[in-house]
Amino acid sequence: MSLSYLYALLREKERQLMRLQTCQSQLLQCQSEFFQQEHLCTKPELTAKTWHGSRAEQFDSIRNSGILWQYRAIEHEQFDDTLQALQNKIVQLQNEISELRSSIANLEAKQAQMTTK
């Protein structure tokens, strides 16, 4: 492999890493905003003045066991799974970048030895 190829590959991996880190930061911000909006799943509150009776109880039950439950599943499972997959890819890229830098250093050392002979 040539040094120019390794440097180009290194630049590409670093660019990918920066994009993933930006994505991770934005996703964490979205997760935070999502958490803050959970209370909206049970709004408006039902009272005797707004709506009451068996239909209101059924509606409230659907909101709490259906909508709120699904919202929390997104909140905890889907965000966490996505963030974990993103973190795994970031670590993988960081390892690849380290390996590339090591390969570049080795190749540069070999070329330096060849030019001094």
Side-chain angles (χ1 to χ4, degrees):
M1 279 190 241
S2 71
L3 271 175
S4 61
Y5 171 76
L6 290 175
Y7 275 118
L9 191 55
L10 177 63
R11 282 190 303 275
E12 176 61 22
K13 296 290 181 182
E14 289 173 334
R15 185 187 64 76
Q16 290 173 2
L17 179 62
M18 286 178 52
R19 288 181 64 205
L20 284 177
Q21 288 171 330
T22 299
C23 180
Q24 182 182 41
S25 174
Q26 291 172 343
L27 188 57
L28 284 168
Q29 183 178 354
C30 288
Q31 183 184 35
S32 175
E33 291 171 12
F34 197 80
F35 285 156
Q36 292 172 6
Q37 302 304 318
E38 180 182 301
H39 70 280
L40 295 176
C41 290
T42 55
K43 296 291 180 193
E45 289 184 29
L46 303 180
T47 65
K49 291 182 180 181
T50 58
W51 191 26
H52 62 283
S54 63
R55 297 266 186 223
E57 289 172 11
Q58 287 174 340
F59 176 76
D60 219 23
S61 177
I62 290 170
R63 266 197 317 194
N64 289 320
S65 64
I67 296 170
L68 186 58
W69 184 83
Q70 290 296 325
Y71 195 91
R72 287 181 177 156
I74 292 169
E75 217 175 45
H76 298 289
E77 294 169 23
Q78 293 181 21
F79 268 114
D80 291 346
D81 290 349
T82 303
L83 284 166
Q84 185 59 53
L86 196 53
Q87 182 60 34
N88 291 344
K89 185 62 179 176
I90 287 171
V91 168
Q92 178 188 346
L93 276 172
Q94 288 170 331
N95 291 336
E96 290 176 19
I97 288 169
S98 276
E99 290 173 15
L100 280 169
R101 286 183 177 153
S102 178
S103 296
I104 289 169
N106 290 338
L107 193 55
E108 285 176 339
K110 284 180 186 177
Q111 286 184 352
Q113 284 178 344
M114 291 174 49
T115 57
T116 58
K117 289 184 179 180

